[in-house]
């Protein structure tokens, strides 16, 4: 074992060298839970754009106003913070499955959703679907599919950790029942057990590279070798749990190492996500270049990303933290 083996992969020049010049789009990452260091590392690894789906914050929300502030931050401060590191930020807005079980609150959130889904940079309704597969979850999943249809927006489906196969099938059945075109529906958190049916039925199949619980990227390489690159996309779903916001570029590097064709890597780590979510009419790739002209003196509602006038760049390869 050498010193290089002990370094985190994300700081290894060898890993970044493999994907030099490539651009990545992470279509599922919860940046609200991440730090500014992550934005820096993501930009350095070639991530040019991301989608932040609305999700559960860990602590159950007790009132509709905290949802309002959360949705506002997704289209406001978080988009600004991302832009300060040269990354174009989009989001999907929705009532998450877990909190659909608080029906009093869910009703109030449903009433509020139309105020947010038509805002600039909102590329879909998400992430919605099943967690525990309860009746309340089904009720609000159906209501939000109707909302998506009415707004002409793509849907981003969260599939459950428990009883995943059944939950995934049910999610697709219900989407069809509501008259949604499978091409407008991105089914997330797939695995080897669900991928075939999702693709066969014409849906987009998204994969979350998340340590221990969802997919490892060696398994992801095998999936792409078996199923190809059509309608498949890779994301990190990085959040407040033990997760990795560099999962997309790291998986691209591993695919490269495993001999997967560059064009297939490009499709599953960049292009397919754009094709799917651009159906919202909200994605213009020219914006990815514009956002790279960073001006960190800019403010959002009087606030900057700089704390106490600090210089934000830090050399990640150095062990010294000043
Ligand atoms: Zn998520």
């Amino acid at each position: 074992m050498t010193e290089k083996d002990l370094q985190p992969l994300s700081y290894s020049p060898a890993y970044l060298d493999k994907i030099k010049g490539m651009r990545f789009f992470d279509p599922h990452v919860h940046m609200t839970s991440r730090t500014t260091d992550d934005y820096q590392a993501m930009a350095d690894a070639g991530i040019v754009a991301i989608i932040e789906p609305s999700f559960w914050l860990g602590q159950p929300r007790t009132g509709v106003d905290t949802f309002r502030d959360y949705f506002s931050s997704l289209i406001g401060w978080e988009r600004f913070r991302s832009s300060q590191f040269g990354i174009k930020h989009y989001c999907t807005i929705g009532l998450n499955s877990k909190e659909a079980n608080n029906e009093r609150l869910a009703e109030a959130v449903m009433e509020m959703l139309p105020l947010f889904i038509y805002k600039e940079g909102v590329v879909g309704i998400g992430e919605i679907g099943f967690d525990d597969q309860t009746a309340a979850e089904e009720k609000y999943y159906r209501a939000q599919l109707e909302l998506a249809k009415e707004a002409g927006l793509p849907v981003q489906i969260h599939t459950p950790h428990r009883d995943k196969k059944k939950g995934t099938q049910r999610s697709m059945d219900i989407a069809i029942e509501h008259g949604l075109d499978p091409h407008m529906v991105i089914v997330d958190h797939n695995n080897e057990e669900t991928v075939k049916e999702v693709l066969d039925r014409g849906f987009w199949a998204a994969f979350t590279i998340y340590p221990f619980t969802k997919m490892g990227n060696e398994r992801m390489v095998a999936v792409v070798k078996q199923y190809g690159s059509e309608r498949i996309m890779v994301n990190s779903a990085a959040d407040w749990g033990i997760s990795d916001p560099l999962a997309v570029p790291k998986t691209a590097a591993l695919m490269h190492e495993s001999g997967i064709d560059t064009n297939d890597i490009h499709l599953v780590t960049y292009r397919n996500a754009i094709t799917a979510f651009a159906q919202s009419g909200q994605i213009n790739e020219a914006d990815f270049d514009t956002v790279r002209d960073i001006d960190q003196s800019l403010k959002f509602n009087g606030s900057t990303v700089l704390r106490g006038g600090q210089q934000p760049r830090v050399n990640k390869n150095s062990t010294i933290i000043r």
Side-chain angles (χ1 to χ4, degrees):
M1 185 159 305
T2 67
E3 194 192 323
K4 210 177 110 223
D5 296 320
L6 295 169
Q7 285 175 356
L9 190 59
S10 60
Y11 311 146
S12 156
Y15 141 70
L16 288 177
D17 270 357
K18 288 196 182 87
I19 50 168
K20 211 177 179 137
M22 288 188 81
R23 301 176 127 206
F24 303 106
F25 189 115
D26 186 343
H28 189 149
V29 56
H30 299 286
M31 295 310 294
T32 296
S33 327
R34 311 296 312 192
T35 63
T36 294
D37 302 46
D38 290 330
Y39 274 124
Q40 288 186 341
M42 289 161 80
D44 290 347
I47 294 176
V48 294
I50 56 174
I51 296 172
E52 176 153 8
S54 311
F55 196 48
W56 177 54
L57 294 176
Q59 173 76 35
R61 282 169 280 216
T62 56
V64 71
D65 283 345
T66 54
F67 269 98
R68 194 192 319 275
D69 289 342
Y70 174 62
F71 293 149
S72 298
S73 78
L74 295 184
I75 59 172
W77 168 254
E78 207 51 55
R79 184 184 304 164
F80 169 76
R81 191 164 74 110
S82 178
S83 75
Q84 294 298 277
F85 296 90
I87 297 173
K88 181 70 188 169
H89 182 284
Y90 302 98
C91 68
T92 59
I93 297 281
L95 169 70
N96 71 81
S97 49
K98 238 181 165 51
E99 288 175 285
N101 292 306
N102 180 345
E103 288 209 55
R104 184 191 54 79
L105 190 52
E107 283 300 327
V109 174
M110 285 304 303
E111 250 174 66
M112 193 173 62
L113 287 182
L115 301 175
F116 286 94
I117 62 170
Y118 298 103
K119 299 277 189 196
E120 187 193 331
V122 179
V123 296
I125 304 291
E127 54 186 302
I128 61 171
F130 288 113
D131 179 51
D132 239 355
Q133 307 194 41
T134 64
E137 289 170 16
E138 182 169 333
K139 176 180 168 187
Y140 293 103
Y141 173 52
R142 288 180 184 273
Q144 292 185 93
L145 290 176
E146 285 299 317
L147 190 62
K149 210 168 66 171
E150 197 182 299
L153 285 171
V155 178
Q156 193 174 25
I157 295 180
H158 163 94
T159 56
H161 305 282
R162 295 170 298 273
D163 224 347
K164 180 177 282 291
K165 193 168 183 184
K166 188 176 140 232
T168 305
Q169 286 170 333
R170 251 178 101 193
S171 302
M172 290 189 290
D173 291 345
I174 294 172
I176 298 286
E177 206 183 301
H178 281 263
L180 275 110
D181 180 345
H183 205 254
M184 286 292 268
V185 181
I186 297 94
V187 180
D188 216 330
H189 314 319
N190 278 282
N191 60 25
E192 293 87 345
E193 215 187 16
T194 58
V195 56
K196 188 174 185 309
E197 187 178 342
V198 171
L199 292 174
D200 285 350
R201 295 179 74 175
F203 290 82
W204 295 90
F207 289 82
T208 297
I209 310 301
Y210 198 108
F212 315 117
T213 63
K214 296 183 175 92
M215 282 288 283
N217 57 7
E218 287 165 307
R219 286 162 61 198
M220 191 65 229
V221 166
V223 166
V224 171
K225 283 192 170 166
Q226 187 173 350
Y227 294 96
S229 54
E230 195 189 333
R231 275 180 291 116
I232 285 178
M233 63 182 86
V234 178
N235 63 59
S236 70
D239 54 16
W240 42 259
I242 298 170
S243 49
D244 190 344
L246 298 174
V248 175
K250 281 182 184 175
T251 302
L254 195 65
M255 286 178 177
H256 179 82
E257 215 172 272
S258 315
I260 292 179
D261 186 77
T262 310
N263 186 52
D264 291 319
I265 300 173
H266 176 72
L267 286 169
V268 302
T269 59
Y270 182 79
R271 178 62 54 199
N272 287 348
I274 296 173
T275 307
F277 287 98
Q279 296 181 99
S280 61
Q282 291 277 353
I283 298 181
N284 178 0
E285 267 183 277
D287 293 343
F288 301 0
D289 295 319
T290 312
V291 81
R292 295 201 83 75
D293 301 328
I294 302 169
D295 178 0
Q296 291 188 333
S297 66
L298 290 178
K299 290 188 168 139
F300 179 82
N301 285 347
S303 299
T304 80
V305 295
L306 308 179
R307 313 301 294 143
Q310 67 182 181
Q311 296 297 314
R313 292 301 303 190
V314 177
N315 179 5
K316 291 284 209 168
N317 292 319
S318 169
T319 48
I320 298 162
I321 301 167
R322 290 203 172 89

